[in-house]
Amino acid sequence: MAGSRSHVIRIRRWGVGLILALSSCLACSSPSGPSGSSSLAVQLLDELTGQPITDAGFGIVVQIAGPGISTQQPVNGTAVFSGIASGTYRVTTDVGYGYRQLDIVTVNVDGTNSLPLKLKPIDDLMVTGIFVDGQGSIPDGGTIDIPFEGVTLRFRGKYRPLKYPWPSEYVFQVYFNSAQDLRSVQSEPTNSSDWQSTQTGWVPCTRDAQRNQRCDTSGDLLNLYFAKYFGSQAQEALMVKTQQWLVHFRLTPGCCRGSVSLRLSGRD
C-alpha cells in the first residue's frame, strides 16, 4: 500500500556535507537588558494558508533582540514578550522542522504591540528519538554500548511532506558524523507525520583498503536525508540537513579486530 512500503538500502559509509544546521531552544530565557512597560505579541502564521501555527510539535521558538534579548515558546501560535523596554527589535525564529523564516523582521515597540510573522512551510524532517534494542532510549549526551556483533539502531522522528503529500512512498536515512559500518537500513513512514529508520549490525568503525579499522568513541551530529521513492531505487531528495545529537560509544573489548586506530570525536 502506498506510504507503507519498507525500503531496504545496503550502505557501507555515509558522506554528506553540512547543508542546513538545525538549532533548537528547549527553554525560554529571562529577558536580558533593560526592562520596561512595553509588550510585544508575535503571532506565527502559515504563509500559504494564513492560519496561525498552533501545533507545538514544530518546535518553534521566537527570539527578539534590541534593547534587550528574550526568547519565548509560543502558546496557541503566539509568543508574548512582556515588561520589555521600548525600542527597535529584530524578530527571529528557531524551528525544529516544517517551517522556515525567509525575511529578517524588525519592529518598533512602544506600549502594547502585536506582530504577525509569516513562516514558509517546507518539506522537512527531524529526529525525535534514538533507540537501541536491549538498551532503550538514548538521550542527547547518552551512551551506546557496542558489542562485537554491533547494535540495532532505531531512529524515530517527524516529517512534513508538501511536494508529495501523504500517502506516498518515502525514504528516510540518518547517520552519525562518525566512522560506521552496518549490514542494512530499513526506513518507512509510520503515518502522515511520523517515520522510523532501523539500522542493523551498526558499529562506529570503518575499515580502509589495507583492512585497518578506525573506530570512534562518539558522534555529535546526525546527517538526515528525506526523499521521495519512485521505485527501482529512483529517488528525489526533498531535504538534506544536520541535527545536533551527542552520543558516546562504549566499545566492547575486541569489538574492533585487526589494526585499529581509535579516534576521539564529538563535543565535550
Side-chain angles (χ1 to χ4, degrees):
M1 181 178 66
S4 62
R5 178 182 296 180
S6 298
H7 306 296
V8 178
I9 307 162
R10 299 198 178 276
I11 299 171
R12 302 302 296 176
R13 297 186 65 185
W14 171 261
V16 61
L18 188 152
I19 305 297
L20 176 67
L22 174 69
S23 61
S24 62
C25 173
L26 300 181
C28 299
S29 66
S30 300
S32 63
S35 60
S37 58
S38 293
S39 65
L40 174 64
V42 180
Q43 185 181 35
L44 303 175
L45 301 175
D46 186 297
E47 184 181 73
L48 293 182
T49 67
Q51 296 300 308
I53 304 171
T54 58
D55 188 348
F58 291 113
I60 303 174
V61 175
V62 182
Q63 182 183 79
I64 60 172
I69 298 176
S70 181
T71 60
Q72 291 288 341
Q73 291 176 319
V75 177
N76 294 325
T78 300
V80 178
F81 300 85
S82 302
I84 59 177
S86 299
T88 300
Y89 289 84
R90 184 178 65 175
V91 182
T92 57
T93 54
D94 279 332
V95 183
Y97 84 107
Y99 282 97
R100 180 179 298 164
Q101 181 179 342
L102 298 181
D103 301 319
I104 298 175
V105 176
T106 59
V107 58
N108 293 321
V109 174
D110 187 12
T112 302
N113 305 261
S114 62
L115 173 70
L117 181 61
K118 294 182 179 180
L119 302 181
K120 179 180 178 61
I122 59 172
D123 290 289
D124 203 1
L125 80 163
M126 72 178 298
V127 171
T128 58
I130 300 176
F131 303 84
V132 176
D133 285 11
Q135 301 182 40
S137 176
I138 309 299
D140 188 4
T143 299
I144 299 176
D145 290 310
I146 308 295
F148 177 79
E149 66 275 11
V151 298
T152 297
L153 277 175
R154 302 184 188 275
F155 296 95
R156 297 174 186 168
K158 295 284 188 178
Y159 75 105
R160 182 173 195 169
L162 292 179
K163 186 173 183 179
Y164 300 104
W166 169 271
S168 289
E169 296 181 18
Y170 308 107
V171 174
F172 306 91
Q173 297 175 15
V174 188
Y175 300 93
F176 287 104
N177 64 330
S178 66
Q180 54 200 310
D181 196 4
L182 50 102
R183 288 196 297 270
S184 67
V185 178
Q186 184 177 15
S187 70
E188 61 182 352
T190 56
N191 54 47
S192 61
S193 62
D194 298 277
W195 60 272
Q196 66 178 5
S197 178
T198 303
Q199 303 180 7
T200 60
W202 187 93
V203 293
C205 304
T206 190
R207 192 185 297 271
D208 61 24
Q210 287 72 44
R211 307 295 292 171
N212 297 319
Q213 280 188 325
R214 189 198 82 203
C215 298
D216 287 345
T217 60
S218 65
D220 64 353
L221 204 66
L222 301 175
N223 297 303
L224 287 71
Y225 176 78
F226 173 34
K228 172 70 172 66
Y229 181 76
F230 294 100
S232 301
Q233 300 301 315
Q235 302 174 19
E236 178 184 346
L238 301 176
M239 174 59 69
V240 180
K241 66 191 297 183
T242 61
Q243 179 178 341
Q244 288 190 338
W245 199 304
L246 172 63
V247 176
H248 302 282
F249 310 128
R250 185 159 48 215
L251 303 173
T252 297
C255 174
C256 295
R257 294 178 294 179
S259 176
V260 176
S261 172
L262 187 65
R263 184 169 72 92
L264 303 179
S265 64
R267 310 194 305 264
D268 292 334

